[in-house]
């Protein structure tokens, strides 16, 4: 029996902890909280106060002031919106702004979709160079980029010199809506390419290969399988490009002309030059409502279309 005593003590249970007085009565604060690393739950809402104040001061107050002035100056009533709906020039400016934004969205989508697709097919080195080309406009001042387009698009600029050397004849682009559209598309191309690339790189290519194994040609498998799966990126990029195109002021002011001004330029004219805050506010509210309605419609369409595409991907008839 004495020979068994030592092995039994080796496997004996650990001693019980000390008395309850030596241990904390409750779970106690975490080490991070004791050291001040995490704020108490009652104080966490206070962390939002700076952000809320910044939004109120930088966005809600200015927008609210413009909305109030649109119905109070020069007198209370809807006369400014009535002017906007019945003035042929204002309607023409609004239509031109929507047309330029729609064309910019379409052009950037047509050019950006294959570019983003090429980025997903490239190796790490080439993908890095392509990403560098996309992000490079962000590293250059907006005014530098706009005035660079002035040098390129002017009558005796780089573009006309190249066209003349090729025997294609010169063209007049500076001071036209086409010139404005070229500048907007170049500036907003990253906002289309990056959402497309983010959506495309998450697509499993084996799904496309499965469509090809089932007998679909490569182009049909791409169109019926890959394109529907990339629609979230298409909607996100199109929404950003369209909304940002509505608010461009510097590019139309430098590359365009007063005869073909867009809504932000007309808004600046009404407020800064004519000092007509009421009509300028009506134009601003029209721009804000256009962006809001577009956001709501695009979100609704995106949910419906993306939902259908995701639901039938597994059972596509190729």
């Amino acid at each position: 029996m004495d020979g068994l005593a030592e092995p039994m003590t080796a496997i004996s249970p650990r001693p019980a902890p000390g008395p309850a007085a030596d241990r904390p009565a409750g779970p106690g604060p975490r080490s991070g909280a004791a050291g001040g690393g995490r704020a108490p739950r009652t104080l966490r809402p206070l962390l939002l106060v700076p952000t809320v104040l910044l939004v109120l001061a930088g966005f809600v107050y200015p927008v609210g002031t413009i909305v109030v002035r649109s119905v109070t100056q020069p007198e209370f009533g809807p006369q400014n919106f009535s002017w906007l709906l019945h003035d042929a020039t204002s309607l023409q400016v609004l239509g031109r702004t929507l047309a330029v934004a729609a064309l910019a969205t379409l052009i950037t989508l047509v050019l950006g979709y294959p570019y983003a697709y090429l980025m997903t097919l490239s190796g790490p080195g080439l993908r890095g160079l392509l990403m560098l080309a996309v992000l490079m406009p962000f590293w250059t001042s907006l005014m530098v980029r706009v005035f660079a387009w002035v040098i390129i698009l002017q009558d005796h600029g780089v573009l006309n010199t190249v066209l003349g050397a090729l025997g294609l004849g010169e063209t007049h682009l500076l001071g036209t809506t086409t010139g404005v559209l070229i500048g907007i598309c170049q500036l907003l191309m990253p906002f289309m390419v990056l959402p497309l690339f983010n959506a495309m790189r998450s697509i499993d290519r084996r799904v496309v290969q499965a469509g090809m194994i089932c007998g679909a040609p490569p182009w049909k498998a791409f169109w019926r399988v890959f394109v529907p799966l990339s629609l979230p990126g298409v909607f996100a990029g199109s929404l950003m490009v369209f909304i940002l195109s509505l608010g461009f002021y510097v590019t139309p002011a430098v590359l365009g002309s007063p005869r073909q001004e867009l809504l932000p330029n007309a808004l600046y004219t009404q407020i800064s030059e004519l000092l007509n805050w009421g009509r300028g506010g009506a134009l601003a509210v029209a721009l804000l409502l256009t962006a809001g309605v577009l956001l709501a419609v695009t979100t609704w369409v995106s949910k419906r279309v993306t939902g259908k595409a995701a639901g039938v991907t597994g059972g596509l008839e190729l």
Side-chain angles (χ1 to χ4, degrees):
M1 296 294 291
D2 294 337
L4 298 176
E6 184 174 350
M8 292 179 64
T9 55
I11 61 174
S12 60
R14 296 180 179 179
D22 297 334
R23 292 176 293 168
R30 297 182 180 179
S31 59
R38 181 175 298 182
R41 292 184 177 181
T42 55
L43 299 179
R44 290 178 187 177
L46 297 179
L47 300 176
L48 298 175
V49 172
T51 302
V52 173
L53 292 178
L54 181 62
V55 172
L56 291 175
F59 180 77
V60 175
Y61 174 74
V63 172
T65 302
I66 290 294
V67 173
V68 170
R69 290 187 176 186
S70 66
V71 294
T72 57
Q73 291 188 5
E75 58 183 12
F76 184 82
Q79 67 275 358
N80 295 314
F81 294 96
S82 177
W83 162 81
L84 176 62
L85 295 177
H86 293 89
D87 184 66
T89 304
S90 300
L91 294 178
Q92 186 178 7
V93 170
L94 179 60
R96 186 185 302 116
T97 304
L98 295 177
V100 168
L103 287 174
T105 304
L106 180 61
I107 293 173
T108 53
L109 177 60
V110 171
L111 298 178
Y113 196 95
Y115 191 93
Y117 183 70
L118 177 61
M119 291 176 63
T120 61
L121 298 178
S122 304
L126 181 57
R127 185 184 302 122
L129 292 177
L130 295 175
M131 183 64 73
L132 179 65
V134 172
L135 298 178
M136 192 172 294
F138 291 129
W139 304 337
T140 309
S141 172
L142 173 64
M143 297 302 298
V144 173
R145 286 180 285 172
V146 172
F147 281 104
W149 278 112
V150 172
I151 299 174
I152 295 173
L153 299 178
Q154 62 185 345
D155 292 341
H156 301 286
V158 178
L159 181 60
N160 280 322
T161 302
V162 174
L163 293 177
L166 296 176
L168 300 177
E170 296 184 354
T171 181
H172 179 70
L173 293 175
L174 188 62
T176 64
T177 303
T178 304
V180 173
L181 189 60
I182 293 174
I184 290 177
C185 290
Q186 188 269 335
L187 295 174
L188 295 183
M189 186 64 70
F191 294 95
M192 179 64 73
V193 172
L194 295 179
L196 288 173
F197 172 70
N198 186 54
M200 289 179 182
R201 70 175 181 175
S202 63
I203 299 175
D204 191 352
R205 298 305 176 91
R206 292 176 296 180
V207 180
V208 182
Q209 295 176 359
M212 297 172 61
I213 293 174
C214 293
W219 68 268
K220 194 171 185 179
F222 175 82
W223 183 255
R224 297 292 300 276
V225 179
F226 188 86
V227 172
L229 292 176
S230 66
L231 286 180
V234 172
F235 283 115
S238 300
L239 181 63
M240 284 195 295
V241 171
F242 192 95
I243 291 180
L244 291 175
S245 299
L246 294 176
F248 264 74
Y249 169 76
V250 175
T251 303
V254 176
L255 300 180
S257 65
R259 295 182 180 179
Q260 298 177 348
E261 64 179 1
L262 301 183
L263 192 58
N265 306 94
L267 192 155
Y268 177 83
T269 301
Q270 290 291 336
I271 293 178
S272 297
E273 297 182 6
L274 302 179
L275 300 180
N276 196 331
W277 283 88
R279 293 185 175 182
L283 292 173
V285 171
L287 190 63
L288 183 64
L289 290 178
T290 302
V293 170
L294 176 70
L295 178 62
V297 171
T298 304
T299 303
W300 179 78
V301 173
S302 176
K303 288 183 179 180
R304 291 183 62 88
V305 175
T306 305
K308 288 182 179 180
V312 301
T313 299
L316 285 173
E317 297 180 2
L318 300 173

